[in-house]
Structures are given as structure tokens and as C-alpha cells.
Amino acid sequence: MPKSRSRLTIKKKSKKGRVALGREKNAPTAEEWAGMPQYYTFQVEDEDGMGHDFSVNDLARILPHKREVGDVIETHEYWVCKIVDVRARSDTDVWVSIEWFYSPQDAIELNKEFDPSHCGKYERLKSNHTDCVSSHCFDGLAPAKQYDETNLDQESIGGEEFYYRYTANISDKSIFPTPSASCVCDCLYNPSDVAPNSVMHLCPQPGCRKYYHRGCIASMSTKNPPERIHFLLTDPDTGASIQLPLIESASAEPAKKRRRASSHASVPNTTIPSPAAFRPLLAALPPVLVRAAAQPMVRGGVLGVAGNTAAVVAARRTVCAALRDGTFAEGWEKRMPEGWEQTMPEGWDAEDVLLVGGTAVGENGVKPEPGVKFELGVSVSAGGGKRKGAKGKRKTEADPMAVLQCPECGGPV
Ligand SMILES: [Zn+2]
Ligand SMILES: [Zn+2]
């Protein structure tokens, strides 16, 4: 397996004359590189003689400086690069043009204003810093996922997966996007901060689309705290309140009958209903789906870098569409992102989702029916002390499942 190598930090001005493309001994010069045959894939053998393929556009990890094969190396310590071009002098003398992914510490050497302390252990910054390294430096593939903090459909990022949310440009030393805080505390999001109060809750309202630290907004007092059902009555993409077709007849007739009627409705009634009007409709939907949709969207610490946002958004979209169109959300699982259950907080599928009909969500001042309470998805067996313990724990301040209030729009987060 590969030997370690020196790594360039920030590229200095080139000296005139024959300059090697990389810092390693024998690295080809630009002139030589131009005449070398080009390949798409190269192979590196490990200690057991197993071949591993590396191809153009793959993201790969490289042994850190002064580390040898056989050393104990934590995954997050590896260097990460993107393979751009592969050329060879011979079968055993293969050279690879790469672009480095900077560690947060590398980034501060480029741009002194960058604060690496808010970056996670597996975080890197994509850069346009090129280098030329021998194929012997390669240790394995290292898919680094792009993390777009504003994307509601962001794919999940595992606890030991590399990711990047910033791009470093070595020409003008800029870092894009500029790190910016979303919470009232003006602190940047640190995905590796495992403190329970550092978990961040998302307000999906288009006018907000911000994450807030649980600890920063948990104590903000409110007269009418939002409830779980309020998560379900707002379109997560548009922020609009859900409207029901044929709402007048909905509360009086069994769900099945109403749904048949509504499917033939040509002119939907656009009255904004009270939360209680949704009771028979929600009760007819798959309890697991309703539970997933009724979760707060949270990220950070044990909840993962990107948290459960994509899963909950997908569930809310499906619930909203089912309520709007009068369907039973058939085939809802297919509309959930792959592996979504792994992104949900521990115990989410064992809790009783109590949907209390309190205040109507949204505008228009619709008066709800007072004191309407109903439970959904109480199908999970009581499970004795374990479940009770979990429920008791939920009441603590650090409960990531508790519903909080957005400090800007007042909506549920
Ligand atoms: Zn905060
Ligand atoms: Zn908000």
C-alpha cells in the first residue's frame, strides 16, 4: 500500500524553468506531463494483493504526511482529493493530477478570516488547489458529500462520512459561501457539537428557512405554544395552510365515503379548516407516515450533520398532498428518501403522537373547535418501563422532539 508523501500547503509562486507538477521526487514536469499517455482508471494493490480501482472524478483518500501503512489512522485524519487526470510513464509509474479538499485548518492558512472551530471532524472544503501525486499515495475511495444547508432535500450524511459545505478558491483566497449564522445567537453551526442544547430546529417557512439552536429558543416564552398538528397543516415548501376540498361534508361523513366524493369534486372548497377537521383524514393515513411528518426537523450531534430534515419534509409533503387531494397516501414509502429511518431521532417510532386541536395554523383567524384531543398511531405496544422511560426523558429541556416556536414567524419548529 501507499507510502506517505509531503503535501503542498498553499502553492507558492512558481520558479522559472523546469518545475515539477507535484512536490514528490520524480513528479513529472508540465512538459513531460503533456506527452504522457492518459488513462481513466488506475489500480493500487493493498497488502493482501487485492487491487483497488481509482477513476477520474472519484474522490479518494490519501495517507496523511508522515503516516505509514499499518499505523492506526482514524478515518477523519486522511487527506481527501478529487482525481482529475491520470497519466503514466509505465505500468508501475503512474501519476495522478488531483484537486485537494482542504481540512478546516488548511483553510485558515488560505483565508485568515475563516473560523475552523465550527467545522466538524469529517468536514473538508472543496478547493481548486491542484497537485500531482504518485498512485502509491492512494489509500481508498472517500466519497465526500456536498452539504447545502438551505436544501430541504439534502441527502443524509453518515457519522463517518466526509462532507463539504464550503469551496475554497486559491486564486482570490475566497471561501464560498461565506459562513453565516442562522440562529439568534449568531453562532455558526458546528455539526460535531454533541451538546443536547446545540441541536438545531428548522423553521421551513420560506420567509425564515433558518435553523435555531434548541438551547437558544427553548426558553422563549409564548402564550400559545405550537403543537404537533401544526406541523401537518402547512405546506413545507410554500408555507401555505392546507386547504381541504369539500370541507363541510368532511367532518360529518366517514373518511372513505368523503374521499370518494372528493375525488369527483371539480371545484374544491378553499375554506381554511380548523385542526379538528383534519381528525378523520389524518386517522385514515398510515400512522408511521403521520408520526414522521409530525417530527420537528432537527440536525446536529447525534442526529447527524444534515439531520432528519429531508425525511420529515418528504413525509409532510405526502401528508399535505393526501389531505389536499383526499387520498390515503398510497405508496408513500416510495416518496421517502433512501435510508430515511436512520436519520430520525432515537425513539421517534415508539412515541404516542398526540395531536391536540388548539389554534388554527395560518391566517384568516379561523376558530377551532375547543378542547379537541385525539391520538394517532398509538399502535406501538406499551413496552413497559423502557417506553415510559423514553417518554419521561422527552420532557427534559434537551428533548429534540419537543415542539418549539420560531422566534421570527412564531411557527412550530
Ligand atoms: Zn443559537
Ligand atoms: Zn419561522
Side-chain angles (χ1 to χ4, degrees), residues 183-187 200 212-213 216:
C183 183
V184 291
C185 67
D186 275 340
C187 294
M200 299 191 89
Y212 300 96
H213 295 111
C216 294

Side-chain angles (χ1 to χ4, degrees), residues 77-282:
E77 295 179 287
Y78 282 97
W79 292 349
V80 179
C81 70
K82 178 184 175 184
I83 296 170
V84 176
D85 196 355
V86 181
R87 301 193 183 199
R89 291 187 181 113
S90 70
D91 281 0
T92 54
D93 192 8
V94 179
W95 290 84
V96 185
S97 169
I98 61 164
E99 285 175 349
W100 285 114
F101 277 73
Y102 280 5
S103 72
Q105 290 305 327
D106 289 334
I108 196 172
E109 288 183 39
L110 177 78
N111 184 328
K112 297 259 179 294
E113 286 174 21
F114 184 73
D115 170 17
S117 69
H118 76 286
C119 294
K121 268 204 304 197
Y122 286 85
E123 183 157 2
R124 297 291 185 272
L125 290 85
K126 191 178 191 302
S127 90
N128 57 351
H129 182 166
T130 58
D131 204 345
C132 190
V133 297
S134 163
S135 62
H136 297 293
C137 301
F138 287 78
D139 184 84
L141 296 176
K145 292 179 174 173
Q146 184 168 13
Y147 178 33
D148 178 353
E149 297 188 75
T150 64
N151 182 4
L152 293 181
D153 299 303
Q154 170 67 44
E155 65 178 326
S156 68
I157 297 169
E160 295 197 349
E161 285 186 292
F162 289 104
Y163 62 92
Y164 63 97
R165 49 181 159 164
Y166 306 119
T167 299
N169 184 337
I170 62 166
S171 308
D172 61 6
K173 304 193 174 191
S174 64
I175 286 172
F176 183 84
T178 304
S180 66
S182 67
C183 183
V184 291
C185 67
D186 275 340
C187 294
L188 296 167
Y189 170 46
N190 180 349
S192 290
D193 183 350
V194 295
N197 272 337
S198 297
V199 162
M200 299 191 89
H201 290 234
L202 173 68
C203 175
Q205 284 290 322
C208 298
R209 286 283 156 90
K210 284 181 180 173
Y211 283 94
Y212 300 96
H213 295 111
R214 170 160 183 76
C216 294
I217 59 170
S219 59
M220 290 184 176
S221 62
T222 173
K223 283 179 187 170
N224 298 305
E227 293 153 3
R228 287 300 190 92
I229 195 167
H230 293 150
F231 281 138
L232 306 176
L233 307 186
T234 307
D235 185 307
D237 294 299
T238 65
S241 297
I242 299 302
Q243 299 173 356
L244 296 179
L246 300 179
I247 186 64
E248 287 84 359
S249 60
S251 56
E253 293 179 37
K256 215 164 190 173
K257 194 173 174 187
R258 186 202 67 77
R259 278 155 201 268
R260 246 184 259 119
S262 70
S263 68
H264 296 296
S266 53
V267 184
N269 184 315
T270 54
T271 308
I272 293 190
S274 74
F278 289 89
R279 176 179 177 174
L281 289 77
L282 287 169

